[in-house]
Amino acid sequence: MVEDHKHEESILEKIVEKIHGHGDSSSLSDSDDDKKSTSSSSSSFKSKIYRLFGREKPVHKVLGGGKPADIFLWRNKKVSGGVLGAVTASWVLFELFEYHLLAFLCHFAIFALAALFLWSNACTFIHKASPHIPEVHIPEDPVLQLVSGLRIEINRGLTVLRNIASGKDIKKFILVIAGLWALSIIGSCYNFLTLFYTATVLLFTIPVLYEKYEDKVDAFGEKAMKEIKKQYAVLDEKVLSKVLSKIPRGALNKKKD
């Protein structure tokens, strides 16, 4: 009798353990499902967050990544400060002091060659080794990559201009004309060197500030884009649609045929 009672107790214990084990596995699966649902909801929430200009990549990737992006985002403050300081010194030298670029290059070459020439001859008189002047040459691969990149961008721009000039999209035509007109006004007020320096300063300030205050800027940009779309819809309804309705399309279709 005692053995039968122990056998029954062991069977009951096994049944209880199985029940608890099933409960734990179900609770684990429930917790996994909860984690998956929360992660999917958080990922969908992140995907719904508005980013300025439809940006999907980080600012560092948008700027091309690598060392140039590190310089623009002030990852190395000494290098970034040195580059910005050199550009500022060049602008002050050529714009404020009105020093011409060709004269500067010639004077710099005269000073460098005279200093090296005197140093080399002085070393022979004092019986010291002459200074080692390194060989400077321009590598071929970076130049070819730069030219290839410029060629691709120029061809892309020419394709866009061709599509606009063909009369297929009047809205884009008006936007491009307005942009070029605004750029011509800015160019008439400032020379090329000042525009280049201004663009460089903006490139060294706007990305790093945007990266720091990204969420606030994106929220403000979302509101601004909604307002711009609203005003553009009004303009499209009152002006552009009427202009498009007056343009004869039959002649263009006959030419295409």
Side-chain angles (χ1 to χ4, degrees), residues 34-69:
D34 293 337
K35 288 180 181 178
K36 289 180 181 178
S37 61
T38 53
S39 62
S40 61
S41 62
S42 62
S43 62
S44 62
F45 177 73
K46 287 181 180 179
S47 62
K48 291 180 181 179
I49 294 176
Y50 176 84
R51 293 302 181 191
L52 202 62
F53 304 114
R55 178 179 59 84
E56 296 180 355
K57 298 178 181 179
V59 181
H60 191 270
K61 293 292 183 182
V62 173
L63 293 175
K67 292 183 179 180

Side-chain angles (χ1 to χ4, degrees), residues 18-34:
K18 287 183 179 180
I19 293 171
H20 283 296
H22 180 70
D24 293 338
S25 61
S26 61
S27 62
L28 287 173
S29 61
D30 293 336
S31 63
D32 292 337
D33 294 336
D34 293 337

Side-chain angles (χ1 to χ4, degrees), residues 164-165 169-178:
I164 293 171
D169 193 346
I170 190 172
K171 298 176 182 179
K172 190 178 290 185
F173 170 77
I174 293 173
L175 291 175
V176 171
I177 293 298

Side-chain angles (χ1 to χ4, degrees), residues 1-218:
M1 294 294 291
V2 176
E3 292 179 356
D4 294 336
H5 182 68
K6 288 181 178 180
H7 182 66
E8 289 176 359
E9 287 181 353
S10 63
I11 293 172
L12 289 173
E13 288 177 356
K14 289 181 180 179
I15 293 171
V16 172
E17 287 178 358
K18 287 183 179 180
I19 293 171
H20 283 296
H22 180 70
D24 293 338
S25 61
S26 61
S27 62
L28 287 173
S29 61
D30 293 336
S31 63
D32 292 337
D33 294 336
D34 293 337
K35 288 180 181 178
K36 289 180 181 178
S37 61
T38 53
S39 62
S40 61
S41 62
S42 62
S43 62
S44 62
F45 177 73
K46 287 181 180 179
S47 62
K48 291 180 181 179
I49 294 176
Y50 176 84
R51 293 302 181 191
L52 202 62
F53 304 114
R55 178 179 59 84
E56 296 180 355
K57 298 178 181 179
V59 181
H60 191 270
K61 293 292 183 182
V62 173
L63 293 175
K67 292 183 179 180
D70 292 339
I71 292 173
F72 293 137
L73 294 175
W74 295 79
R75 295 288 192 265
N76 191 337
K77 294 183 179 180
K78 292 182 179 180
V79 176
S80 301
V83 173
L84 185 59
V87 174
T88 303
S90 301
W91 179 77
V92 170
L93 182 66
F94 296 122
E95 183 65 22
L96 298 183
F97 294 161
E98 297 182 354
Y99 203 71
H100 298 288
L101 178 61
L102 183 60
F104 172 76
L105 293 176
C106 291
H107 292 165
F108 178 78
I110 290 170
F111 176 78
L113 290 173
L116 291 173
F117 179 80
L118 294 175
W119 189 10
S120 299
N121 285 284
C123 289
T124 57
F125 285 110
I126 60 177
H127 303 289
K128 285 189 176 181
S130 59
H132 175 68
I133 302 174
E135 295 182 1
V136 179
H137 64 279
I138 299 174
E140 183 178 1
D141 292 338
V143 176
L144 293 177
Q145 290 176 2
L146 177 62
V147 173
S148 177
L150 288 176
R151 182 185 63 83
I152 292 171
E153 294 299 327
I154 291 172
N155 289 335
R156 187 179 299 171
L158 291 175
T159 304
V160 172
L161 293 176
R162 180 180 178 277
N163 292 332
I164 293 171
S166 62
K168 297 179 181 178
D169 193 346
I170 190 172
K171 298 176 182 179
K172 190 178 290 185
F173 170 77
I174 293 173
L175 291 175
V176 171
I177 293 298
L180 292 174
W181 178 70
L183 189 61
S184 66
I185 293 175
I186 296 172
S188 62
C189 298
Y190 304 98
N191 58 14
F192 178 76
L193 185 60
T194 302
L195 288 176
F196 176 77
Y197 176 67
T198 304
T200 303
V201 172
L202 292 176
L203 195 59
F204 272 89
T205 52
I206 291 178
V208 66
L209 291 175
Y210 173 69
E211 188 182 39
K212 187 176 182 180
Y213 304 102
E214 182 177 359
D215 295 333
K216 295 180 181 179
V217 175
D218 287 338

